[in-house]
Amino acid sequence: MNSILIRNQALKNSVLSNYTPLLRGMATEKQILGRINATKNISKITKSMKMVSAAKLRGDQERLMAARPFYKWTESLTGPPILLDDLDVNNLAPHTLIVPITSDRGLCGGINSTITRGLKKLEIKMKAQGKDLTLLILGEKGRAQLSRALGPSCDRSCTEIDIPYTFATSSALSSEILKTPGVDAVCIIYNTFRSAIAYDTTVKTIFNMASAEEEPMVEYEFEPDTKSEVLQDMYEYTLATQLYHSLMENATSEQSSRMNAMENASKNAGEMIDSLTLLYNRARQSRITTELIEIISGAAALEN
């Protein structure tokens, strides 16, 4: 027993002899100056990104103004878009394909997280009513966030889509959407551009009239093709048109959100530079005062 106690005491002494306490002190002038220079470099980057986003926002707004009249006729078939928070789950089909539109790049505020949060709440409501949903995600940021939270529901994702968006791009994406089997309706979730500082998370629901239980458009005559073929073609064109408009809205909202985010980042960097400069001046003044006291004290000691 005594040998065990002696061995444990020797081990304890060995550990204590190799222990070096972590001493913390105030940052040196060199360290503070390094942080100031690093923050200034970050501020230059954020200001440049804000200018780039402002230039891109102008072009996206022009394309959006052209896309809004182009899609307006589809509202007579699908109804107007509504806010995601106002979506009634009872009106959704038993099996719905949801297409969230997100960005491929970050540093754009909360434009992607608002869609992700709303989709998580929607998934809980649909599961509670026994309805299935499948996700076809557009954008790398949405894929990264939703693959963790809603992994079993994620079917496919499309990333690195060519920008600026065109109707050919939306047609190719709509063809990919139509490949999903057993889908009763398609919901497109995106951000609607309101102004340079505001956007709304919006949803569109598009039903396939060709597979509807009740016969649609009974007041119209269809020729020379059969009615089912015409309705299917109309559904495909409506889906491509709605998707094109949604892409334009989300792209404009993305640039406005990124511009505001970079403006806030530049403002925060400026405030941090001011506080660090004040801290640097205080440290420098303290050092100079200490040196003067030492010089005066040394001179007084020599006189005595």
Side-chain angles (χ1 to χ4, degrees):
M1 180 64 70
N2 292 333
S3 62
I4 295 175
L5 292 176
I6 293 172
R7 192 180 299 112
N8 290 338
Q9 186 64 32
L11 179 61
K12 181 178 179 181
N13 294 335
S14 175
V15 171
L16 290 177
S17 62
N18 296 327
Y19 173 72
T20 303
L22 179 62
L23 300 177
R24 290 188 178 183
M26 294 183 62
T28 62
E29 294 179 37
K30 185 177 181 180
Q31 291 174 336
I32 298 174
L33 191 60
R35 290 186 63 188
I36 291 174
N37 293 331
T39 309
K40 285 182 178 179
N41 293 334
I42 294 174
S43 179
K44 292 178 182 178
I45 294 173
T46 54
K47 288 179 181 178
S48 300
M49 293 183 66
K50 176 190 173 184
M51 295 175 62
V52 172
S53 297
K56 290 183 178 180
L57 177 61
R58 180 61 180 173
D60 288 334
Q61 281 183 295
E62 294 177 354
R63 286 185 286 270
L64 176 60
M65 292 301 106
R68 281 178 174 173
F70 178 73
Y71 104 100
K72 204 66 178 177
W73 66 271
T74 60
E75 289 188 356
S76 59
L77 300 176
T78 62
I82 61 175
L83 296 178
L84 181 58
D85 295 335
D86 298 337
L87 179 63
D88 189 1
V89 181
N90 296 321
N91 297 330
L92 294 179
H95 188 187
T96 304
L97 175 66
I98 299 180
V99 184
I101 301 177
T102 61
S103 64
D104 284 319
R105 292 166 180 80
L107 300 178
C108 53
I111 192 170
N112 297 316
S113 58
T114 53
I115 292 180
T116 304
R117 286 196 303 268
L119 197 50
K120 290 177 182 177
K121 296 178 182 178
L122 179 62
E123 192 257 353
I124 294 174
K125 295 178 181 178
M126 293 184 67
K127 293 295 184 182
Q129 295 192 6
K131 295 184 177 181
D132 298 328
L133 77 158
T134 304
L135 295 179
L136 195 157
I137 306 168
L138 303 184
E140 175 61 29
K141 293 302 176 181
R143 185 200 64 79
Q145 296 178 20
L146 293 172
S147 60
R148 294 191 300 265
L150 305 176
S153 300
C154 295
D155 183 26
R156 286 162 292 167
S157 62
C158 298
T159 60
E160 298 297 333
I161 305 173
D162 292 337
I163 297 176
Y165 302 118
T166 61
F167 189 76
T169 302
S170 66
S171 298
L173 292 174
S174 62
S175 299
E176 189 68 25
I177 292 173
L178 292 172
K179 293 179 182 178
T180 307
V183 173
D184 302 318
V186 177
C187 283
I188 304 175
I189 301 178
Y190 62 101
N191 291 290
T192 300
F193 177 76
R194 297 301 181 194
S195 65
I197 59 174
Y199 56 86
D200 297 326
T201 304
T202 316
V203 58
K204 298 174 180 176
T205 304
I206 306 168
F207 293 92
N208 189 355
M209 293 184 294
S211 59
E213 295 180 358
E214 299 181 359
E215 184 179 0
M217 296 185 178
V218 293
E219 66 273 16
Y220 295 97
E221 295 183 1
F222 294 84
E223 58 181 25
D225 299 328
T226 60
K227 186 176 182 178
S228 60
E229 294 177 356
V230 174
L231 291 177
Q232 181 64 29
D233 294 340
M234 185 177 294
Y235 169 67
E236 295 176 4
Y237 186 68
T238 302
L239 179 60
T241 304
Q242 291 274 21
L243 186 59
Y244 173 68
H245 169 255
S246 303
L247 290 170
M248 292 292 103
E249 292 277 4
N250 198 79
T252 310
S253 302
E254 176 189 347
Q255 294 302 334
S256 66
S257 181
R258 180 174 285 111
M259 184 180 66
N260 293 324
M262 293 301 101
E263 182 178 1
N264 293 332
S266 301
K267 181 180 177 181
N268 294 336
E271 294 176 355
M272 185 177 292
I273 290 171
D274 293 339
S275 62
L276 289 174
T277 303
L278 181 61
L279 184 62
Y280 173 77
N281 291 335
R282 286 178 178 174
R284 182 170 175 270
Q285 184 179 5
S286 176
R287 177 180 57 81
I288 293 173
T289 303
T290 303
E291 291 177 355
L292 288 175
I293 292 174
E294 292 176 353
I295 292 172
I296 295 171
S297 300
L302 290 175
E303 291 178 359
N304 294 332

